[in-house]
mmCIF file of all heavy atoms in Angstrom:
data_model
loop_
_atom_site.group_PDB
_atom_site.id
_atom_site.type_symbol
_atom_site.label_atom_id
_atom_site.label_comp_id
_atom_site.label_asym_id
_atom_site.label_seq_id
_atom_site.Cartn_x
_atom_site.Cartn_y
_atom_site.Cartn_z
ATOM 1 N N ALA U 3 10.558 -4.408 0.633
ATOM 2 C CA ALA U 3 9.158 -4.764 0.440
ATOM 3 C C ALA U 3 9.099 -5.950 -0.502
ATOM 4 O O ALA U 3 10.053 -6.254 -1.220
ATOM 5 C CB ALA U 3 8.380 -3.584 -0.130
ATOM 6 N N GLY U 21 3.682 -9.029 6.901
ATOM 7 C CA GLY U 21 4.790 -8.946 7.848
ATOM 8 C C GLY U 21 5.895 -8.001 7.397
ATOM 9 O O GLY U 21 6.366 -7.152 8.170
ATOM 10 N N LEU U 38 12.682 9.881 18.056
ATOM 11 C CA LEU U 38 12.183 10.878 17.106
ATOM 12 C C LEU U 38 11.536 12.054 17.828
ATOM 13 O O LEU U 38 11.705 13.217 17.435
ATOM 14 C CB LEU U 38 11.181 10.218 16.156
ATOM 15 C CG LEU U 38 11.749 9.212 15.160
ATOM 16 C CD1 LEU U 38 10.630 8.446 14.468
ATOM 17 C CD2 LEU U 38 12.620 9.915 14.122
ATOM 18 N N ILE U 50 8.541 11.068 9.645
ATOM 19 C CA ILE U 50 8.384 9.647 9.329
ATOM 20 C C ILE U 50 7.708 9.578 7.966
ATOM 21 O O ILE U 50 6.663 10.189 7.750
ATOM 22 C CB ILE U 50 7.520 8.929 10.375
ATOM 23 C CG1 ILE U 50 8.145 9.037 11.765
ATOM 24 C CG2 ILE U 50 7.291 7.474 9.985
ATOM 25 C CD1 ILE U 50 7.198 8.639 12.885
ATOM 26 N N ALA U 114 -9.441 1.656 -23.504
ATOM 27 C CA ALA U 114 -8.380 0.696 -23.781
ATOM 28 C C ALA U 114 -8.052 -0.143 -22.554
ATOM 29 O O ALA U 114 -7.885 -1.358 -22.647
ATOM 30 C CB ALA U 114 -7.126 1.426 -24.253
ATOM 31 N N PHE U 131 -9.497 -18.552 -0.698
ATOM 32 C CA PHE U 131 -8.164 -19.061 -0.941
ATOM 33 C C PHE U 131 -7.202 -17.911 -0.834
ATOM 34 O O PHE U 131 -7.607 -16.754 -0.781
ATOM 35 C CB PHE U 131 -8.049 -19.725 -2.318
ATOM 36 C CG PHE U 131 -8.705 -18.940 -3.406
ATOM 37 C CD1 PHE U 131 -8.102 -17.819 -3.937
ATOM 38 C CD2 PHE U 131 -9.959 -19.301 -3.873
ATOM 39 C CE1 PHE U 131 -8.706 -17.079 -4.917
ATOM 40 C CE2 PHE U 131 -10.571 -18.554 -4.858
ATOM 41 C CZ PHE U 131 -9.955 -17.446 -5.385
ATOM 42 N N LYS U 142 -0.511 -2.526 1.765
ATOM 43 C CA LYS U 142 -0.319 -1.133 1.388
ATOM 44 C C LYS U 142 -1.427 -0.242 1.944
ATOM 45 O O LYS U 142 -1.181 0.927 2.291
ATOM 46 C CB LYS U 142 -0.239 -1.011 -0.135
ATOM 47 C CG LYS U 142 1.015 -1.657 -0.719
ATOM 48 C CD LYS U 142 2.279 -1.035 -0.110
ATOM 49 C CE LYS U 142 3.547 -1.619 -0.651
ATOM 50 N NZ LYS U 142 4.763 -0.987 -0.086
ATOM 51 N N LEU U 155 -2.259 10.705 16.694
ATOM 52 C CA LEU U 155 -1.711 10.528 18.043
ATOM 53 C C LEU U 155 -0.615 11.560 18.334
ATOM 54 O O LEU U 155 -0.560 12.122 19.429
ATOM 55 C CB LEU U 155 -1.147 9.115 18.198
ATOM 56 C CG LEU U 155 -2.147 7.957 18.100
ATOM 57 C CD1 LEU U 155 -1.410 6.622 18.159
ATOM 58 C CD2 LEU U 155 -3.183 8.048 19.213
ATOM 59 N N VAL U 163 6.796 15.742 15.685
ATOM 60 C CA VAL U 163 7.043 14.645 14.752
ATOM 61 C C VAL U 163 5.872 14.607 13.773
ATOM 62 O O VAL U 163 4.714 14.737 14.178
ATOM 63 C CB VAL U 163 7.148 13.280 15.468
ATOM 64 C CG1 VAL U 163 7.453 12.170 14.460
ATOM 65 C CG2 VAL U 163 8.208 13.309 16.565
ATOM 66 N N VAL U 173 7.528 2.146 -10.759
ATOM 67 C CA VAL U 173 8.976 2.344 -10.873
ATOM 68 C C VAL U 173 9.633 1.086 -11.437
ATOM 69 O O VAL U 173 9.263 -0.038 -11.089
ATOM 70 C CB VAL U 173 9.579 2.684 -9.495
ATOM 71 C CG1 VAL U 173 11.067 3.021 -9.641
ATOM 72 C CG2 VAL U 173 8.835 3.863 -8.866
ATOM 73 N N THR U 192 9.307 -2.127 -22.744
ATOM 74 C CA THR U 192 8.770 -0.755 -22.662
ATOM 75 C C THR U 192 9.044 -0.063 -21.337
ATOM 76 O O THR U 192 8.698 1.106 -21.177
ATOM 77 C CB THR U 192 7.241 -0.774 -22.878
ATOM 78 O OG1 THR U 192 6.615 -1.486 -21.796
ATOM 79 C CG2 THR U 192 6.881 -1.424 -24.198
ATOM 80 N N THR U 206 9.476 11.806 -4.783
ATOM 81 C CA THR U 206 8.422 12.191 -3.838
ATOM 82 C C THR U 206 8.794 11.795 -2.411
ATOM 83 O O THR U 206 8.462 12.499 -1.453
ATOM 84 C CB THR U 206 7.077 11.546 -4.232
ATOM 85 O OG1 THR U 206 6.743 11.948 -5.566
ATOM 86 C CG2 THR U 206 5.960 11.983 -3.294
ATOM 87 N N SER U 213 11.520 18.515 2.246
ATOM 88 C CA SER U 213 10.995 19.764 1.691
ATOM 89 C C SER U 213 10.564 20.742 2.782
ATOM 90 O O SER U 213 9.813 20.386 3.693
ATOM 91 C CB SER U 213 9.795 19.479 0.784
ATOM 92 O OG SER U 213 9.180 20.692 0.380
ATOM 93 N N THR U 230 -2.642 14.071 -2.405
ATOM 94 C CA THR U 230 -3.646 13.340 -3.168
ATOM 95 C C THR U 230 -4.580 12.634 -2.207
ATOM 96 O O THR U 230 -4.176 12.227 -1.121
ATOM 97 C CB THR U 230 -2.963 12.310 -4.095
ATOM 98 O OG1 THR U 230 -2.002 12.966 -4.913
ATOM 99 C CG2 THR U 230 -3.983 11.597 -4.970
ATOM 100 N N LEU U 245 -6.918 -1.311 13.656
ATOM 101 C CA LEU U 245 -5.697 -1.849 13.064
ATOM 102 C C LEU U 245 -4.512 -1.615 13.994
ATOM 103 O O LEU U 245 -3.671 -2.501 14.177
ATOM 104 C CB LEU U 245 -5.427 -1.187 11.707
ATOM 105 C CG LEU U 245 -4.097 -1.565 11.055
ATOM 106 C CD1 LEU U 245 -4.048 -3.053 10.736
ATOM 107 C CD2 LEU U 245 -3.860 -0.736 9.794
#
Side-chain angles (χ1 to χ4, degrees):
L38 291 169
I50 300 167
F131 44 77
K142 292 302 180 178
L155 296 175
V163 182
V173 185
T192 65
T206 302
S213 173
T230 305
L245 174 63

